[in-house]
Amino acid sequence: METCMIIYMDLVILEPALNHNPELNWPRRFQIAVGTARALTYLHHDCKPPVLHLNVKSTNILLDTNYEAKLSDYGLSRFLPLLDNYGLTKFHNAVGYVAPELAQSLRLSDKCDVYSRGNSAELVTGRKPVESPKFEGFAENELIQVMKLGLICTSEIPSRRPSMAEVVQVLESIRNGLGS
């Protein structure tokens, strides 16, 4: 028997906060990136069966009062057969976030979430993946490494993308000054 638990929390959606919250400085944005990666790692590696989010974007990342990231709107893969019966599998309309293999052929894997999470430019710059970047007030070395990680995560070839557990390890090494 599955149990569903709903917890009320005072949460803020990340997307509008990116441009309108002066407290969302680089250390907090980095904390959000790590928190999001850890949440996806949990869904992919600790849940049995694994859960694919398939809709990772800034409007589905919530922040608590300590700026800890919480994922919302996840687990859509469980409903894909049901949705397909009604011709509703075209819910992936988030341009710039959807992995090419998912958009083109609905091939599902954890690498789809890695691709979506790899669009870290929005978290870094406050702009969507299809907008021009704006870089302000960041630790240059960390910024470059996070953007490089984003490029690796958005590889056109899913097998070249890291797992979310590997993304967490890289982010933690960057934060600890061990990245190069």
Side-chain angles (χ1 to χ4, degrees):
M1 170 184 239
E2 289 190 36
T3 303
C4 180
M5 181 169 57
I6 299 173
I7 300 172
Y8 175 77
M9 300 177 77
D10 191 16
L11 301 172
V12 174
I13 298 172
L14 174 62
E15 193 262 342
L18 286 172
N19 285 314
H20 305 294
N21 186 340
E23 294 180 15
L24 210 53
N25 56 24
W26 174 246
R28 286 192 174 133
R29 288 174 188 241
F30 195 93
Q31 171 186 336
I32 294 164
V34 173
T36 303
R38 284 183 180 146
L40 288 167
T41 297
Y42 173 79
L43 292 175
H44 294 173
H45 301 285
D46 297 335
C47 289
K48 301 297 180 218
V51 175
L52 303 179
H53 190 289
L54 300 178
N55 204 13
V56 180
K57 56 185 180 178
S58 61
T59 54
N60 289 335
I61 299 172
L62 306 177
L63 305 176
D64 68 14
T65 55
N66 295 317
Y67 296 96
E68 292 293 330
K70 312 289 182 193
L71 288 178
S72 68
D73 193 18
Y74 59 91
L76 290 175
S77 64
R78 292 182 179 188
F79 303 111
L80 283 176
L82 175 66
L83 293 174
D84 195 38
N85 289 339
Y86 297 99
L88 298 174
T89 53
K90 302 297 182 213
F91 63 85
H92 299 287
N93 60 358
V95 174
Y97 298 98
V98 178
E101 68 274 14
L102 180 59
Q104 296 166 3
S105 64
L106 285 178
R107 283 184 290 145
L108 304 173
S109 77
D110 60 342
K111 301 297 184 175
C112 296
D113 286 344
V114 173
Y115 182 93
S116 297
R117 183 351 211 122
N119 284 307
S120 55
E122 182 176 12
L123 185 57
V124 172
T125 67
R127 296 178 184 248
K128 297 190 180 307
V130 294
E131 295 177 337
S132 299
K134 159 185 88 173
F135 298 101
E136 296 176 356
F138 299 104
E140 184 177 345
N141 188 39
E142 288 181 351
L143 170 71
I144 291 168
Q145 292 177 68
V146 169
M147 296 303 287
K148 284 181 181 178
L149 177 60
L151 289 173
I152 294 167
C153 290
T154 56
S155 170
E156 290 286 324
I157 302 168
S159 62
R160 290 189 180 163
R161 296 178 203 146
S163 70
M164 286 313 302
E166 292 168 326
V167 170
V168 170
Q169 286 179 332
V170 171
L171 288 171
E172 288 175 345
S173 72
I174 292 169
R175 172 50 77 206
N176 294 328
L178 304 174
S180 55

